[in-house]
Amino acid sequence: MGKSKVLVVGGTGYIGKRIVKASLEEGHETYVLQRPEIGLDIDKLQILLSFKKQGARLVQASFSDHRSLVDAVKKVDVVICTMSGVHFRSHNLLVQLKLVEAIKEAGNVKRFLPSEFGMDPARMGNAIEPGRVTFDEKMKVRKAIEEANIPFTYVSANCFAGYFVGNLSQMCTLLPPATDNVTVYGDGNVKVVFVDEDDVARYTIKTIDDPRTLNKTVYLRPPDNILSQRQLFEKWEKLSGKQLRKSTLSEHDLLSSMKGLDYAQQVGVGHFYHIFYEGCLTNFEIGEDGEEASQLYPDVNYTRMDDYLKIFL
């Protein structure tokens, strides 16, 4: 069996560009959606042209032109959507419903991977407002996929290292704190899963031709990267030779801090609550409807967080 042809929607984005790279490296004929709405965004255009140099094919289509989407989808076997669901960037999850309609009409797609790549929305039914909007919208997309009988794989990638590791899981920064003062969420012992974004892409591409992942959720839980916040601090202290000054933030104080924040910040605080206080990434066993990526693909030499942190020294 040959390798599937892949269409990446959202290929110029944070995870999308890594998915395109991983798809090309794995030898897939790779197509990237080029939307006319790109306008004068020179950065996105340059990214698209760099893909073309690497061997990807650019396909013109627009979410406002159903026929163009159908034509794009007909060129491939697998569609991967990586549109952003992060509120402080852009938030376009429900636009995927148009893509679902195009895939349904085209009728040729063997696998659709919608934009997920975070917490498993199926386990977030009790999430607090306003952050639950992310999970509710992902579930609407899932419902549309399953009602259309489109074969799928959902990827739950947990915490991207870029957002949660370099900053030692501190809010409102992406860098280690310059003052060595850090906030500990609760007792700091809740286990969290951190994954390098390039590894997210590698694992994702591995799933697309794998019968074991068809119509399942794939959880990325590399065992050496299942760490508590305190364990993350210890790694940084060992690497940097600095002692962090830790102050504890109670669950009550975290939730109280949401008052007065803008909408995007409130969403973020809500997600931090579920991750670092409830332990939503690790407080369940993966059942028959799921698989764990590092067990399926032991050949992927994933990045450990000690190595990831070295770039910040």
Side-chain angles (χ1 to χ4, degrees), residues 118-129 131-136 138-139 142 156 270-275 278-281 283-284:
M119 299 174 239
D120 180 1
R123 298 182 181 276
M124 301 304 296
N126 295 318
I128 59 174
E129 299 283 5
R132 66 170 297 131
V133 65
T134 304
F135 314 118
D136 290 345
K138 286 180 178 179
M139 290 307 292
R142 285 191 181 192
S156 177
H271 292 180
F272 266 67
Y273 166 71
H274 295 300
I275 293 166
E278 286 192 339
C280 69
L281 305 182
N283 64 2
F284 62 92

Side-chain angles (χ1 to χ4, degrees), residues 32-47:
V32 185
L33 199 73
Q34 179 179 345
R35 297 162 63 195
E37 293 85 352
I38 196 170
L40 299 177
D41 192 330
I42 189 70
D43 292 323
K44 286 187 177 180
L45 179 61
Q46 292 296 322
I47 292 169

Side-chain angles (χ1 to χ4, degrees), residues 34-202:
Q34 179 179 345
R35 297 162 63 195
E37 293 85 352
I38 196 170
L40 299 177
D41 192 330
I42 189 70
D43 292 323
K44 286 187 177 180
L45 179 61
Q46 292 296 322
I47 292 169
L48 288 168
L49 293 175
S50 75
F51 293 154
K52 197 173 177 184
K53 282 181 185 174
Q54 294 167 53
R57 305 182 185 197
L58 305 184
V59 186
Q60 294 239 9
S62 170
F63 281 99
S64 58
D65 180 353
H66 175 72
R67 181 50 44 198
S68 71
L69 277 182
V70 173
D71 290 344
V73 164
K74 281 184 175 178
K75 295 179 185 295
V76 299
D77 310 301
V78 173
V79 178
I80 305 174
C81 186
T82 61
M83 300 185 78
S84 176
V86 180
H87 279 79
F88 59 81
R89 289 170 70 100
S90 58
H91 185 80
N92 301 311
L93 292 174
L94 291 182
V95 175
Q96 294 179 97
L97 295 174
K98 295 184 178 181
L99 189 55
V100 171
E101 285 300 312
I103 292 169
K104 181 180 175 181
E105 182 174 327
N108 62 292
V109 169
K110 297 191 300 188
R111 193 87 63 108
F112 177 41
L113 284 69
S115 187
E116 297 245 345
F117 307 108
M119 299 174 239
D120 180 1
R123 298 182 181 276
M124 301 304 296
N126 295 318
I128 59 174
E129 299 283 5
R132 66 170 297 131
V133 65
T134 304
F135 314 118
D136 290 345
E137 290 184 0
K138 286 180 178 179
M139 290 307 292
K140 281 182 187 172
V141 175
R142 285 191 181 192
K143 185 169 183 283
I145 292 167
E146 290 167 27
E147 286 180 349
N149 290 315
I150 296 168
F152 64 84
T153 297
Y154 304 139
V155 177
S156 177
N158 298 303
C159 287
F160 292 161
Y163 282 113
F164 287 92
V165 176
N167 58 2
L168 306 182
S169 298
Q170 304 299 291
M171 294 188 200
C172 303
T173 179
L174 295 174
L175 297 167
T179 60
D180 299 326
N181 292 316
V182 291
T183 298
V184 184
Y185 305 119
D187 64 10
N189 292 321
V190 170
K191 288 295 174 76
V192 178
V193 187
F194 303 104
V195 189
D196 177 277
E197 289 85 340
D198 290 328
D199 293 336
V200 172
R202 278 192 281 268

